PDB file of all heavy atoms in Angstrom:
ATOM      1  N   ALA I   3       9.009  -7.730 -14.568  1.00 93.00           N
ATOM      2  CA  ALA I   3       7.679  -7.135 -14.703  1.00 93.00           C
ATOM      3  C   ALA I   3       6.984  -7.016 -13.352  1.00 93.00           C
ATOM      4  O   ALA I   3       6.301  -6.020 -13.072  1.00 93.00           O
ATOM      5  CB  ALA I   3       6.837  -7.973 -15.660  1.00 93.00           C
ATOM      6  N   GLU I   4       7.156  -8.011 -12.498  1.00 94.00           N
ATOM      7  CA  GLU I   4       6.555  -7.949 -11.162  1.00 94.00           C
ATOM      8  C   GLU I   4       7.208  -6.875 -10.314  1.00 94.00           C
ATOM      9  O   GLU I   4       6.530  -6.173  -9.545  1.00 94.00           O
ATOM     10  CB  GLU I   4       6.664  -9.311 -10.493  1.00 94.00           C
ATOM     11  CG  GLU I   4       5.802 -10.381 -11.151  1.00 94.00           C
ATOM     12  CD  GLU I   4       6.105 -11.770 -10.644  1.00 94.00           C
ATOM     13  OE1 GLU I   4       7.223 -11.970 -10.092  1.00 94.00           O
ATOM     14  OE2 GLU I   4       5.251 -12.656 -10.793  1.00 94.00           O
ATOM     15  N   LEU I   5       8.516  -6.742 -10.411  1.00 94.00           N
ATOM     16  CA  LEU I   5       9.196  -5.664  -9.687  1.00 94.00           C
ATOM     17  C   LEU I   5       8.760  -4.295 -10.199  1.00 94.00           C
ATOM     18  O   LEU I   5       8.688  -3.330  -9.430  1.00 94.00           O
ATOM     19  CB  LEU I   5      10.709  -5.833  -9.811  1.00 94.00           C
ATOM     20  CG  LEU I   5      11.308  -7.054  -9.102  1.00 94.00           C
ATOM     21  CD1 LEU I   5      12.799  -7.161  -9.424  1.00 94.00           C
ATOM     22  CD2 LEU I   5      11.095  -6.954  -7.596  1.00 94.00           C
ATOM     23  N   ALA I   6       8.443  -4.195 -11.499  1.00 94.00           N
ATOM     24  CA  ALA I   6       7.947  -2.923 -12.040  1.00 94.00           C
ATOM     25  C   ALA I   6       6.583  -2.586 -11.461  1.00 94.00           C
ATOM     26  O   ALA I   6       6.278  -1.410 -11.198  1.00 94.00           O
ATOM     27  CB  ALA I   6       7.886  -3.004 -13.564  1.00 94.00           C
ATOM     28  N   ILE I   7       5.744  -3.590 -11.231  1.00 94.00           N
ATOM     29  CA  ILE I   7       4.448  -3.353 -10.593  1.00 94.00           C
ATOM     30  C   ILE I   7       4.640  -2.851  -9.167  1.00 94.00           C
ATOM     31  O   ILE I   7       3.925  -1.949  -8.700  1.00 94.00           O
ATOM     32  CB  ILE I   7       3.606  -4.638 -10.610  1.00 94.00           C
ATOM     33  CG1 ILE I   7       3.247  -5.025 -12.045  1.00 94.00           C
ATOM     34  CG2 ILE I   7       2.338  -4.477  -9.789  1.00 94.00           C
ATOM     35  CD1 ILE I   7       2.537  -6.360 -12.149  1.00 94.00           C
ATOM     36  N   ALA I   8       5.614  -3.421  -8.463  1.00 95.00           N
ATOM     37  CA  ALA I   8       5.846  -3.029  -7.077  1.00 95.00           C
ATOM     38  C   ALA I   8       6.232  -1.558  -6.960  1.00 95.00           C
ATOM     39  O   ALA I   8       5.963  -0.922  -5.930  1.00 95.00           O
ATOM     40  CB  ALA I   8       6.932  -3.911  -6.468  1.00 95.00           C
ATOM     41  N   GLU I   9       6.850  -1.014  -7.985  1.00 95.00           N
ATOM     42  CA  GLU I   9       7.248   0.395  -7.929  1.00 95.00           C
ATOM     43  C   GLU I   9       6.048   1.340  -7.935  1.00 95.00           C
ATOM     44  O   GLU I   9       6.173   2.495  -7.514  1.00 95.00           O
ATOM     45  CB  GLU I   9       8.165   0.714  -9.109  1.00 95.00           C
ATOM     46  CG  GLU I   9       9.507  -0.023  -9.075  1.00 95.00           C
ATOM     47  CD  GLU I   9      10.366   0.291 -10.280  1.00 95.00           C
ATOM     48  OE1 GLU I   9       9.876   1.036 -11.163  1.00 95.00           O
ATOM     49  OE2 GLU I   9      11.509  -0.204 -10.347  1.00 95.00           O
ATOM     50  N   HIS I  10       4.891   0.879  -8.387  1.00 94.00           N
ATOM     51  CA  HIS I  10       3.700   1.728  -8.481  1.00 94.00           C
ATOM     52  C   HIS I  10       2.705   1.488  -7.345  1.00 94.00           C
ATOM     53  O   HIS I  10       1.617   2.065  -7.355  1.00 94.00           O
ATOM     54  CB  HIS I  10       3.009   1.505  -9.824  1.00 94.00           C
ATOM     55  CG  HIS I  10       3.860   1.855 -11.002  1.00 94.00           C
ATOM     56  ND1 HIS I  10       4.094   3.155 -11.429  1.00 94.00           N
ATOM     57  CD2 HIS I  10       4.579   1.065 -11.854  1.00 94.00           C
ATOM     58  CE1 HIS I  10       4.886   3.158 -12.482  1.00 94.00           C
ATOM     59  NE2 HIS I  10       5.189   1.899 -12.760  1.00 94.00           N
ATOM     60  N   VAL I  11       3.070   0.655  -6.380  1.00 97.00           N
ATOM     61  CA  VAL I  11       2.167   0.380  -5.260  1.00 97.00           C
ATOM     62  C   VAL I  11       2.240   1.535  -4.265  1.00 97.00           C
ATOM     63  O   VAL I  11       3.325   1.967  -3.872  1.00 97.00           O
ATOM     64  CB  VAL I  11       2.527  -0.955  -4.581  1.00 97.00           C
ATOM     65  CG1 VAL I  11       1.696  -1.177  -3.327  1.00 97.00           C
ATOM     66  CG2 VAL I  11       2.324  -2.106  -5.552  1.00 97.00           C
ATOM     67  N   HIS I  12       1.078   2.045  -3.863  1.00 97.00           N
ATOM     68  CA  HIS I  12       1.027   3.119  -2.874  1.00 97.00           C
ATOM     69  C   HIS I  12       1.293   2.544  -1.484  1.00 97.00           C
ATOM     70  O   HIS I  12       0.756   1.494  -1.116  1.00 97.00           O
ATOM     71  CB  HIS I  12      -0.341   3.801  -2.901  1.00 97.00           C
ATOM     72  CG  HIS I  12      -0.676   4.447  -4.208  1.00 97.00           C
ATOM     73  ND1 HIS I  12      -0.019   5.550  -4.692  1.00 97.00           N
ATOM     74  CD2 HIS I  12      -1.604   4.118  -5.158  1.00 97.00           C
ATOM     75  CE1 HIS I  12      -0.532   5.904  -5.866  1.00 97.00           C
ATOM     76  NE2 HIS I  12      -1.479   5.034  -6.181  1.00 97.00           N
ATOM     77  N   VAL I  13       2.112   3.238  -0.719  1.00 97.00           N
ATOM     78  CA  VAL I  13       2.445   2.795   0.633  1.00 97.00           C
ATOM     79  C   VAL I  13       1.994   3.863   1.621  1.00 97.00           C
ATOM     80  O   VAL I  13       1.747   5.022   1.267  1.00 97.00           O
ATOM     81  CB  VAL I  13       3.959   2.526   0.770  1.00 97.00           C
ATOM     82  CG1 VAL I  13       4.392   1.382  -0.115  1.00 97.00           C
ATOM     83  CG2 VAL I  13       4.772   3.774   0.448  1.00 97.00           C
ATOM     84  N   GLY I  14       1.918   3.450   2.881  1.00 97.00           N
ATOM     85  CA  GLY I  14       1.507   4.358   3.943  1.00 97.00           C
ATOM     86  C   GLY I  14       0.222   3.884   4.599  1.00 97.00           C
ATOM     87  O   GLY I  14      -0.337   2.835   4.264  1.00 97.00           O
ATOM     88  N   ARG I  15      -0.246   4.691   5.539  1.00 97.00           N
ATOM     89  CA  ARG I  15      -1.483   4.386   6.270  1.00 97.00           C
ATOM     90  C   ARG I  15      -2.649   5.037   5.532  1.00 97.00           C
ATOM     91  O   ARG I  15      -2.709   6.264   5.395  1.00 97.00           O
ATOM     92  CB  ARG I  15      -1.405   4.907   7.706  1.00 97.00           C
ATOM     93  CG  ARG I  15      -2.538   4.448   8.615  1.00 97.00           C
ATOM     94  CD  ARG I  15      -2.226   4.823  10.057  1.00 97.00           C
ATOM     95  NE  ARG I  15      -3.222   4.309  10.989  1.00 97.00           N
ATOM     96  CZ  ARG I  15      -4.241   5.021  11.469  1.00 97.00           C
ATOM     97  NH1 ARG I  15      -4.387   6.304  11.094  1.00 97.00           N
ATOM     98  NH2 ARG I  15      -5.098   4.489  12.314  1.00 97.00           N
ATOM     99  N   MET I  16      -3.572   4.224   5.076  1.00 97.00           N
ATOM    100  CA  MET I  16      -4.654   4.700   4.223  1.00 97.00           C
ATOM    101  C   MET I  16      -5.987   4.556   4.936  1.00 97.00           C
ATOM    102  O   MET I  16      -6.303   3.475   5.456  1.00 97.00           O
ATOM    103  CB  MET I  16      -4.689   3.909   2.911  1.00 97.00           C
ATOM    104  CG  MET I  16      -3.376   3.886   2.168  1.00 97.00           C
ATOM    105  SD  MET I  16      -3.468   2.845   0.690  1.00 97.00           S
ATOM    106  CE  MET I  16      -1.709   2.659   0.330  1.00 97.00           C
ATOM    107  N   PRO I  17      -6.800   5.612   4.959  1.00 97.00           N
ATOM    108  CA  PRO I  17      -8.155   5.478   5.509  1.00 97.00           C
ATOM    109  C   PRO I  17      -9.063   4.750   4.533  1.00 97.00           C
ATOM    110  O   PRO I  17      -8.950   4.900   3.317  1.00 97.00           O
ATOM    111  CB  PRO I  17      -8.585   6.940   5.700  1.00 97.00           C
ATOM    112  CG  PRO I  17      -7.795   7.702   4.685  1.00 97.00           C
ATOM    113  CD  PRO I  17      -6.482   6.988   4.554  1.00 97.00           C
ATOM    114  N   CYS I  18      -9.955   3.945   5.094  1.00 97.00           N
ATOM    115  CA  CYS I  18     -10.905   3.171   4.284  1.00 97.00           C
ATOM    116  C   CYS I  18     -12.317   3.492   4.767  1.00 97.00           C
ATOM    117  O   CYS I  18     -12.516   4.284   5.685  1.00 97.00           O
ATOM    118  CB  CYS I  18     -10.620   1.674   4.410  1.00 97.00           C
ATOM    119  SG  CYS I  18      -8.891   1.214   4.105  1.00 97.00           S
ATOM    120  N   GLU I  19     -13.276   2.877   4.122  1.00 95.00           N
ATOM    121  CA  GLU I  19     -14.657   3.115   4.526  1.00 95.00           C
ATOM    122  C   GLU I  19     -14.934   2.473   5.884  1.00 95.00           C
ATOM    123  O   GLU I  19     -14.211   1.585   6.336  1.00 95.00           O
ATOM    124  CB  GLU I  19     -15.610   2.567   3.468  1.00 95.00           C
ATOM    125  CG  GLU I  19     -15.618   1.066   3.344  1.00 95.00           C
ATOM    126  CD  GLU I  19     -16.662   0.584   2.354  1.00 95.00           C
ATOM    127  OE1 GLU I  19     -17.282   1.435   1.684  1.00 95.00           O
ATOM    128  OE2 GLU I  19     -16.855  -0.640   2.248  1.00 95.00           O
ATOM    129  N   LEU I  20     -15.975   2.949   6.522  1.00 93.00           N
ATOM    130  CA  LEU I  20     -16.409   2.465   7.843  1.00 93.00           C
ATOM    131  C   LEU I  20     -15.367   2.696   8.922  1.00 93.00           C
ATOM    132  O   LEU I  20     -15.315   1.977   9.929  1.00 93.00           O
ATOM    133  CB  LEU I  20     -16.780   0.970   7.778  1.00 93.00           C
ATOM    134  CG  LEU I  20     -17.854   0.583   6.765  1.00 93.00           C
ATOM    135  CD1 LEU I  20     -18.071  -0.921   6.775  1.00 93.00           C
ATOM    136  CD2 LEU I  20     -19.146   1.310   7.033  1.00 93.00           C
ATOM    137  N   GLY I  21     -14.513   3.716   8.719  1.00 94.00           N
ATOM    138  CA  GLY I  21     -13.537   4.070   9.742  1.00 94.00           C
ATOM    139  C   GLY I  21     -12.354   3.136   9.873  1.00 94.00           C
ATOM    140  O   GLY I  21     -11.619   3.208  10.858  1.00 94.00           O
ATOM    141  N   ALA I  22     -12.161   2.248   8.917  1.00 95.00           N
ATOM    142  CA  ALA I  22     -11.032   1.303   8.976  1.00 95.00           C
ATOM    143  C   ALA I  22      -9.783   1.938   8.381  1.00 95.00           C
ATOM    144  O   ALA I  22      -9.840   2.949   7.680  1.00 95.00           O
ATOM    145  CB  ALA I  22     -11.383   0.020   8.239  1.00 95.00           C
ATOM    146  N   PHE I  23      -8.641   1.323   8.674  1.00 97.00           N
ATOM    147  CA  PHE I  23      -7.352   1.778   8.147  1.00 97.00           C
ATOM    148  C   PHE I  23      -6.553   0.557   7.706  1.00 97.00           C
ATOM    149  O   PHE I  23      -6.624  -0.507   8.328  1.00 97.00           O
ATOM    150  CB  PHE I  23      -6.552   2.553   9.197  1.00 97.00           C
ATOM    151  CG  PHE I  23      -7.099   3.911   9.494  1.00 97.00           C
ATOM    152  CD1 PHE I  23      -8.051   4.095  10.488  1.00 97.00           C
ATOM    153  CD2 PHE I  23      -6.657   5.023   8.778  1.00 97.00           C
ATOM    154  CE1 PHE I  23      -8.551   5.351  10.767  1.00 97.00           C
ATOM    155  CE2 PHE I  23      -7.154   6.292   9.060  1.00 97.00           C
ATOM    156  CZ  PHE I  23      -8.114   6.454  10.045  1.00 97.00           C
ATOM    157  N   VAL I  24      -5.780   0.744   6.649  1.00 98.00           N
ATOM    158  CA  VAL I  24      -4.873  -0.287   6.159  1.00 98.00           C
ATOM    159  C   VAL I  24      -3.514   0.370   5.942  1.00 98.00           C
ATOM    160  O   VAL I  24      -3.426   1.447   5.343  1.00 98.00           O
ATOM    161  CB  VAL I  24      -5.368  -0.922   4.847  1.00 98.00           C
ATOM    162  CG1 VAL I  24      -4.312  -1.867   4.277  1.00 98.00           C
ATOM    163  CG2 VAL I  24      -6.664  -1.675   5.080  1.00 98.00           C
ATOM    164  N   THR I  25      -2.476  -0.282   6.433  1.00 98.00           N
ATOM    165  CA  THR I  25      -1.113   0.220   6.297  1.00 98.00           C
ATOM    166  C   THR I  25      -0.338  -0.695   5.361  1.00 98.00           C
ATOM    167  O   THR I  25      -0.261  -1.910   5.593  1.00 98.00           O
ATOM    168  CB  THR I  25      -0.405   0.290   7.657  1.00 98.00           C
ATOM    169  OG1 THR I  25      -1.173   1.124   8.535  1.00 98.00           O
ATOM    170  CG2 THR I  25       0.993   0.875   7.515  1.00 98.00           C
ATOM    171  N   VAL I  26       0.214  -0.123   4.326  1.00 98.00           N
ATOM    172  CA  VAL I  26       1.025  -0.868   3.356  1.00 98.00           C
ATOM    173  C   VAL I  26       2.463  -0.390   3.503  1.00 98.00           C
ATOM    174  O   VAL I  26       2.752   0.806   3.366  1.00 98.00           O
ATOM    175  CB  VAL I  26       0.524  -0.647   1.917  1.00 98.00           C
ATOM    176  CG1 VAL I  26       1.384  -1.435   0.927  1.00 98.00           C
ATOM    177  CG2 VAL I  26      -0.939  -1.051   1.788  1.00 98.00           C
ATOM    178  N   THR I  27       3.364  -1.326   3.776  1.00 97.00           N
ATOM    179  CA  THR I  27       4.774  -1.008   3.998  1.00 97.00           C
ATOM    180  C   THR I  27       5.632  -1.915   3.131  1.00 97.00           C
ATOM    181  O   THR I  27       5.419  -3.136   3.097  1.00 97.00           O
ATOM    182  CB  THR I  27       5.164  -1.201   5.481  1.00 97.00           C
ATOM    183  OG1 THR I  27       4.243  -0.493   6.300  1.00 97.00           O
ATOM    184  CG2 THR I  27       6.562  -0.680   5.747  1.00 97.00           C
ATOM    185  N   ALA I  28       6.591  -1.342   2.442  1.00 97.00           N
ATOM    186  CA  ALA I  28       7.520  -2.146   1.644  1.00 97.00           C
ATOM    187  C   ALA I  28       8.433  -2.943   2.563  1.00 97.00           C
ATOM    188  O   ALA I  28       8.900  -2.442   3.595  1.00 97.00           O
ATOM    189  CB  ALA I  28       8.338  -1.243   0.725  1.00 97.00           C
ATOM    190  N   ASP I  29       8.686  -4.192   2.200  1.00 96.00           N
ATOM    191  CA  ASP I  29       9.561  -5.060   2.985  1.00 96.00           C
ATOM    192  C   ASP I  29      10.997  -4.790   2.572  1.00 96.00           C
ATOM    193  O   ASP I  29      11.400  -5.113   1.447  1.00 96.00           O
ATOM    194  CB  ASP I  29       9.195  -6.522   2.731  1.00 96.00           C
ATOM    195  CG  ASP I  29       9.947  -7.465   3.649  1.00 96.00           C
ATOM    196  OD1 ASP I  29      10.826  -7.003   4.397  1.00 96.00           O
ATOM    197  OD2 ASP I  29       9.652  -8.677   3.617  1.00 96.00           O
ATOM    198  N   PRO I  30      11.816  -4.211   3.455  1.00 94.00           N
ATOM    199  CA  PRO I  30      13.197  -3.913   3.052  1.00 94.00           C
ATOM    200  C   PRO I  30      14.048  -5.160   2.854  1.00 94.00           C
ATOM    201  O   PRO I  30      15.046  -5.129   2.141  1.00 94.00           O
ATOM    202  CB  PRO I  30      13.719  -3.060   4.221  1.00 94.00           C
ATOM    203  CG  PRO I  30      12.882  -3.459   5.389  1.00 94.00           C
ATOM    204  CD  PRO I  30      11.533  -3.786   4.840  1.00 94.00           C
TER     205      PRO I  30
END
């Protein structure tokens, strides 16, 4: 079930409010 959740996580560099950025990368 946890691995199924991981399949729906958005990855990449995402813009946030106040000009911040967060990068989500899958761990190979």
Side-chain angles (χ1 to χ4, degrees):
E4 292 170 339
L5 292 175
I7 294 174
E9 295 178 357
H10 299 283
V11 174
H12 298 292
V13 296
R15 189 170 185 262
M16 306 176 195
C18 309
E19 68 176 7
L20 303 178
F23 288 89
V24 173
T25 303
V26 180
T27 308
D29 187 354

